Amino acid sequence: MAPKWRELADRLAEKIRSGEYAPGDQLPQIRELVDAGEGSKSTVHAAYKALEAEGLVTSSRGHGTVVRQRAPLKRLGIARYDKVKWRDGDEVAFIADRVASGRAYRRNEQTQTVSRVKAPAVVAAAHGLPEGADVYARARLVKEGAQPTHTLTSYYRPEHVEGTRIVDPTPGPAGRGGGFRVLYDAGYEIDNMTEELFARVPSADEAKLLQLAPGEWVVELHRTTRTVDGTVVEFAIGVHAATRFAWSYDFKVPDSTKAEVEGENK
Amino acid sequence: MAPKWRELADRLAEKIRSGEYAPGDQLPQIRELVDAGEGSKSTVHAAYKALEAEGLVTSSRGHGTVVRQRAPLKRLGIARYDKVKWRDGDEVAFIADRVASGRAYRRNEQTQTVSRVKAPAVVAAAHGLPEGADVYARARLVKEGAQPTHTLTSYYRPEHVEGTRIVDPTPGPAGRGGGFRVLYDAGYEIDNMTEELFARVPSADEAKLLQLAPGEWVVELHRTTRTVDGTVVEFAIGVHAATRFAWSYDFKVPDSTKAEVEGENK
DNA sequence: TAGTGGTCTAGACCACTTC
DNA sequence: AAGTGGTCTAGACCACTAA
């Protein structure tokens, strides 16, 4: 037999999924359920904690326990990197899809700090540098209105960016066209990318920074950006609130018996 | 100030990360810590439960609380779909990368059931069918040894697969070359795919089937497979234990001012 | 100040594993 | 039978929010 707190949680979850408790509604108070004979305060609390870990509700002292809004998934496709957006236009690649979807761009939705650091292992490996070599790190926290959605930290080799706007520590996007535009102006036109994704538990810092619900996971994205000759000009690590994004990729089914038309698809 | 159970959990987590408690080691028993003055049994238990939710330990009655082995991430790149593997060779596409990485293929690592069902909404949308139209569902549970790693359910239009080996309800892979080979033999050579990924909380059934640790998330993968003329011949939904996989994609940076050489990269 | 969830205790008892 | 984690209670008290 399932524990009492699990049964209670399941009953409440069912009511939430059926719509009996709608998003924004408040669940019964813990003490009410104690009085109704659902168990002791600890038992009811355990049920509420389980519902919170499952992402169905958020609890807060003073407010009560409220059914969560299901934040719409934001779809990230490779069209967000379209050269038109950063080479020809006036948009910043990273926010271009938001503009395209009709949402207003507010300047403070991205904060940025640039610093010169010793390359961590994965960064060094991506750039083909020895571990601990100097690189520039450009760290951004991206928000959708007041809600932080993800962090994105780009790592550059000093010889690619020194003397450019990227190194300028002024907050805000890296100027017109963003980081790709700066690299383009410096003679490094990006040509192809590799993105690698995996899910993991957030660190305590990340949970706080991204305002994650307890138990919520993150998706870490590693993006390696290269010029046409294969030089890695940017390696970026993104940490995304897992519930707020979906990623989409289109590709041809590879056929290694044919000469490859393009260098990628490995 | 952080709660007592949180502080205890953080101290233990630090010892785990530093290696003082190595994978496989047993943590102090709950009663020991109670005696050592770390708090009441409930308090210590709360700390242990947090560590479990964070994926650091597994607890079981009788055994104790043990530091988890970090399962190696398995990287999934698009090379796993290489036509050579299913068109020319004798391997099944889905397990081909396992063969390539030197691990033995055991026949019982994949179980399969085929049934004719009414298409759920996402499936119908992908196939361009009305909701509730008949489709064939081929559901597999894939294991790595005794450990289930993911489920994969392919949906096919009846006119594409009726009379083929796919519809044969015999357990095991869909014969030599797998599902793509069967489609190929039936005149539908797959050409391009779209994969969409997002993370979510597992259902209770999934948690049990995939033997997920409490609090562990899953990554859901939607794969749409098309022939060269754009006909969707397979739509598949995979549910993966989030900690056991990473996905990798290579692509060219799109440039919508150029005529596209290939049909994808949208 | 009243209302809400969160923490904590001390102890009883249960469920599963190993010997 | 002994050892381990899991559940549950009754109640005290704390922390945060809103009026």
Side-chain angles (χ1 to χ4, degrees):
Chain A
M1 183 162 110
K4 208 165 169 179
W5 63 265
R6 182 70 268 174
E7 293 197 338
L8 174 57
D10 287 344
R11 255 181 294 136
L12 292 167
E14 183 47 40
K15 289 191 181 180
I16 291 170
R17 280 187 243 272
S18 76
E20 190 169 333
Y21 293 123
D25 284 3
Q26 189 168 344
L27 257 57
Q29 298 158 16
I30 289 183
R31 286 166 178 80
E32 276 180 40
L33 294 182
V34 171
D35 293 346
E38 295 286 3
S40 71
K41 197 178 169 187
S42 303
T43 303
V44 176
H45 179 230
Y48 274 39
K49 209 170 169 185
L51 291 175
E52 186 172 46
E54 286 154 24
L56 292 172
V57 303
T58 52
S59 294
S60 58
R61 289 194 258 227
H63 273 143
T65 300
V66 169
V67 179
R68 284 182 69 174
Q69 309 282 347
R70 308 233 327 131
L73 276 183
K74 184 168 170 172
R75 283 191 164 62
L76 301 179
I78 68 172
R80 70 189 187 280
Y81 298 124
D82 196 329
K83 293 186 179 181
V84 170
K85 300 190 176 175
W86 50 267
R87 185 190 53 199
D88 311 321
D90 202 2
E91 304 173 34
V92 177
F94 301 100
I95 58 146
D97 49 349
R98 200 177 314 153
V99 174
S101 66
R103 282 177 251 188
Y105 166 54
R106 277 154 283 195
R107 209 151 231 285
N108 281 337
E109 287 193 349
Q110 185 173 317
T111 58
Q112 163 171 306
T113 61
V114 176
S115 55
R116 192 178 172 117
V117 300
K118 305 287 179 197
V122 280
V123 175
H127 272 293
L129 293 168
E131 193 169 338
D134 267 21
V135 290
Y136 279 97
R138 184 164 71 104
R140 290 90 94 199
L141 173 63
V142 183
K143 297 181 185 176
E144 181 94 31
Q147 174 72 67
T149 60
H150 63 288
T151 65
L152 187 60
T153 305
S154 294
Y155 296 90
Y156 306 97
R157 298 179 72 138
E159 63 266 36
H160 292 154
V161 295
E162 253 157 12
T164 69
R165 274 179 285 141
I166 282 180
V167 180
D168 172 7
T170 308
R176 185 165 179 272
F180 296 152
R181 175 57 182 261
V182 173
L183 288 168
Y184 178 73
D185 290 342
Y188 301 100
E189 177 171 6
I190 64 169
D191 178 77
N192 64 86
M193 297 178 163
T194 299
E195 290 194 344
E196 183 168 314
L197 303 96
F198 58 94
R200 63 170 174 79
V201 172
S203 70
D205 286 349
E206 290 166 341
K208 191 176 172 191
L209 191 64
L210 296 176
Q211 298 174 12
L212 301 174
E216 185 168 359
W217 283 39
V218 293
V219 172
E220 186 167 324
L221 172 73
H222 292 185
R223 177 178 74 208
T224 308
T225 309
R226 304 180 197 83
T227 59
V228 71
D229 67 2
T231 306
V232 173
V233 287
E234 185 216 32
F235 177 72
I237 298 179
V239 178
H240 299 70
T243 52
R244 302 201 265 265
F245 294 93
W247 286 263
S248 175
Y249 298 92
D250 297 277
F251 55 90
K252 281 188 86 77
V253 175
D255 184 352
S256 58
T257 60
K258 293 187 183 175
E260 292 187 17
V261 181
E262 301 178 278
E264 83 275 24
N265 287 0
K266 34 174 184 263
Chain B
M1 181 163 112
K4 209 166 169 180
W5 63 263
R6 181 71 269 173
E7 293 197 338
L8 174 56
D10 287 344
R11 257 181 292 135
L12 292 168
E14 183 47 42
K15 289 191 180 178
I16 291 170
R17 280 187 244 270
S18 76
E20 189 170 332
Y21 293 124
D25 283 5
Q26 187 168 345
L27 256 58
Q29 297 158 16
I30 289 182
R31 285 165 180 81
E32 277 180 38
L33 294 182
V34 172
D35 293 347
E38 295 287 2
S40 71
K41 198 178 167 186
S42 304
T43 303
V44 176
H45 180 228
Y48 274 38
K49 210 171 169 186
L51 292 174
E52 187 173 45
E54 286 154 25
L56 292 172
V57 303
T58 52
S59 293
S60 56
R61 289 193 258 230
H63 273 141
T65 299
V66 170
V67 179
R68 282 182 70 174
Q69 308 283 345
R70 309 270 302 154
L73 275 185
K74 182 168 171 174
R75 283 188 164 66
L76 301 180
I78 68 172
R80 69 189 187 281
Y81 298 125
D82 196 327
K83 292 187 181 182
V84 170
K85 300 191 177 174
W86 50 266
R87 185 190 52 199
D88 311 321
D90 202 1
E91 303 173 34
V92 177
F94 301 100
I95 58 147
D97 49 351
R98 200 179 311 153
V99 173
S101 67
R103 282 178 250 187
Y105 166 53
R106 277 155 285 194
R107 203 141 238 288
N108 282 337
E109 286 193 350
Q110 186 172 318
T111 58
Q112 163 172 306
T113 60
V114 177
S115 55
R116 192 175 172 120
V117 299
K118 304 287 178 197
V122 280
V123 174
H127 272 294
L129 292 169
E131 194 170 340
D134 267 21
V135 291
Y136 278 97
R138 184 163 72 105
R140 288 89 96 197
L141 173 65
V142 183
K143 297 181 185 177
E144 182 93 31
Q147 174 72 67
T149 60
H150 63 289
T151 64
L152 188 60
T153 304
S154 294
Y155 295 89
Y156 306 97
R157 298 178 72 137
E159 63 266 36
H160 291 153
V161 295
E162 252 158 12
T164 70
R165 273 179 287 142
I166 282 179
V167 181
D168 172 7
T170 308
R176 187 165 179 270
F180 295 154
R181 175 57 183 261
V182 172
L183 288 169
Y184 179 72
D185 291 342
Y188 301 101
E189 178 170 8
I190 64 169
D191 178 77
N192 64 86
M193 296 177 164
T194 300
E195 290 194 345
E196 183 168 313
L197 302 94
F198 58 94
R200 62 170 173 81
V201 172
S203 70
D205 286 349
E206 290 165 341
K208 191 176 172 191
L209 190 65
L210 296 175
Q211 298 175 12
L212 301 175
E216 184 168 0
W217 283 37
V218 293
V219 172
E220 186 167 324
L221 173 73
H222 291 184
R223 177 178 74 208
T224 307
T225 310
R226 303 180 198 81
T227 59
V228 71
D229 66 2
T231 307
V232 173
V233 288
E234 185 216 31
F235 176 72
I237 299 178
V239 179
H240 300 69
T243 52
R244 303 203 264 265
F245 294 91
W247 285 262
S248 175
Y249 298 91
D250 298 279
F251 54 90
K252 280 190 88 75
V253 175
D255 184 352
S256 58
T257 60
K258 291 188 185 176
E260 293 187 16
V261 182
E262 301 180 276
E264 83 277 24
N265 286 3
K266 40 173 178 249

